[in-house]
Amino acid sequence: MFDWIGNPSAWVGLLTLTVLEIVLGIDNIIFISILSNKLPAAQQDLGRRLGLGAALVSRVLLLLTIGWVARLTEPVFMLPFADVPKETAEISWRDLILIGGGLFLIYKAVKEIHEKLEGEEDGGHSELNRATLGAIIGQIMVIDVVFSLDSVITAVGMVKEVSIMIIAVIIAIVIMMFAAGAIARFVEKHPTVKVLALSFLVLIGVNLVAEGSGQHMEKAYTYFAMAFAIGVEMLNLRLRKKGKPVQLHEPHMPP
C-alpha cells in the first residue's frame, strides 16, 4: 500500500495534490465559515471543525470507493434534443449531483446576500440568527458531497495510489481547519468581504451547473477572478483604514 514511499515522483505528486486540494477547498472554507458564523459564538469553532470533519470523511469514503465514483461518470440518460451535442446530451449521476449542488449553492448564497442586505433593517431578527448546530452541519454536509466529488475526481486524474490521495486530503483538511477560524472571523468583521465571498459562491455555483450541463469551464479563470477581486478588496480595506474624514466645508481663508 505504501510502496511509493521510496519513489521521489510519488512525493512530488503528494505535494502537488495537497496544494491542489487546498486550492479546491477554498470555496468549501468560505461556505463553512459563513454558515458557522450564524451559530452562537460558543458553537462557531465546533461548527467549523465538524463541517471540515464531514468534508474529510466524505472525501476519504469516496476515495475508498473509486470504482463507484468512476461509474458515476457513465451516462444514465440522454436529453431528447436533436440539436444538442452528444457530450452535452449525455447526463450522468455526476452531472446531476453537480447541477443540484450548484443550484443549492446559488440559492444559499443569494439568500445570504438578501438576508445580509435586508436583515439590517429588521433589527437583525432574521431566520439566520435562529440557526441551530444540526441545521448548519446538515447544510454543510450537503454541499460537502458536491465539493468532495469534484475533489476526488481531480485526485484520481492526478495520481494512481489511493494512499497518496488519502494522505493529501488529510493534510489539506488539517491545514484548512487551522485557517478556517481566522478566515471566518475576518469575513464576519468586514461586511463587504462577506458579500464578496457570497458572490464567489454564486460564481462557483454557476460553474458547477455549467460543468454538470456539459459546458467545461476552466477553474483557473474562476480562481484568477477571485484572487483579483480579493486583491482589489484588500486595497479598499487598506485605503478605508488609512483614509481621512472627508472635509464637507470650505476651509476658512484669512481675509
Side-chain angles (χ1 to χ4, degrees):
M1 182 177 181
F2 295 99
D3 298 336
W4 53 268
I5 291 180
N7 185 356
S9 62
W11 286 95
V12 173
L14 173 61
L15 176 62
T16 304
L17 185 56
T18 300
V19 173
L20 186 60
E21 288 289 333
I22 294 173
V23 172
L24 291 176
I26 291 174
D27 41 20
N28 206 2
I29 290 179
I30 293 173
F31 185 76
I32 291 174
S33 298
I34 291 174
L35 284 185
S36 63
N37 281 339
K38 298 188 299 182
L39 293 168
Q43 295 183 337
Q44 290 178 5
D45 286 338
L46 176 62
R48 285 189 287 269
R49 287 196 296 268
L50 290 177
L52 287 169
L56 174 61
V57 171
S58 60
R59 292 183 190 189
V60 171
L61 289 177
L62 287 174
L63 285 171
L64 293 176
T65 55
I66 287 180
W68 177 76
V69 172
R71 289 194 296 273
L72 288 178
T73 61
E74 298 175 0
V76 291
F77 66 89
M78 295 187 64
L79 296 176
F81 303 118
D83 57 343
V84 175
K86 181 179 178 182
E87 59 272 14
T88 303
E90 293 178 342
I91 302 297
S92 65
W93 284 112
R94 172 183 176 270
D95 296 331
L96 293 175
I97 292 173
L98 291 180
I99 292 172
L103 292 175
F104 175 75
L105 197 58
I106 294 171
Y107 165 76
K108 285 299 298 179
V110 171
K111 187 171 183 289
E112 292 281 343
I113 292 174
H114 175 76
E115 291 284 348
K116 182 66 180 173
L117 297 177
E118 301 295 333
E120 302 294 334
E121 299 179 1
D122 63 349
H125 301 296
S126 65
E127 177 187 351
L128 299 180
N129 291 329
R130 297 192 296 271
T132 63
L133 180 62
I136 295 299
I137 297 302
Q139 294 177 53
I140 290 174
M141 290 180 67
V142 168
I143 208 63
D144 271 346
V145 172
V146 181
F147 288 145
S148 297
L149 182 64
D150 194 34
S151 172
V152 167
I153 290 174
T154 300
V156 171
M158 287 191 61
V159 296
K160 296 181 180 180
E161 293 286 343
V162 177
S163 56
I164 293 179
M165 301 178 202
I166 293 176
I167 292 173
V169 167
I170 292 174
I171 294 174
I173 293 293
V174 169
I175 292 174
M176 287 189 286
M177 281 185 176
F178 283 103
I183 293 175
R185 287 187 291 272
F186 182 80
V187 168
E188 190 65 18
K189 182 180 178 181
H190 300 90
T192 57
V193 173
K194 184 172 184 178
V195 174
L196 181 63
L198 289 168
S199 300
F200 289 162
L201 294 181
V202 174
L203 178 61
I204 293 166
V206 171
N207 280 6
L208 290 173
V209 173
E211 189 78 20
S213 303
Q215 306 298 320
H216 179 66
M217 299 179 68
E218 288 291 342
K219 289 184 175 64
Y221 297 135
T222 300
Y223 287 117
F224 175 80
M226 291 170 62
F228 180 79
I230 290 173
V232 173
E233 182 61 23
M234 293 303 102
L235 290 176
N236 285 333
L237 290 176
R238 187 174 181 85
L239 288 173
R240 284 197 292 267
K241 184 177 180 181
K242 288 188 172 183
K244 297 180 180 179
V246 178
Q247 196 168 22
L248 300 178
H249 56 81
E250 290 292 334
H252 177 70
M253 300 294 293

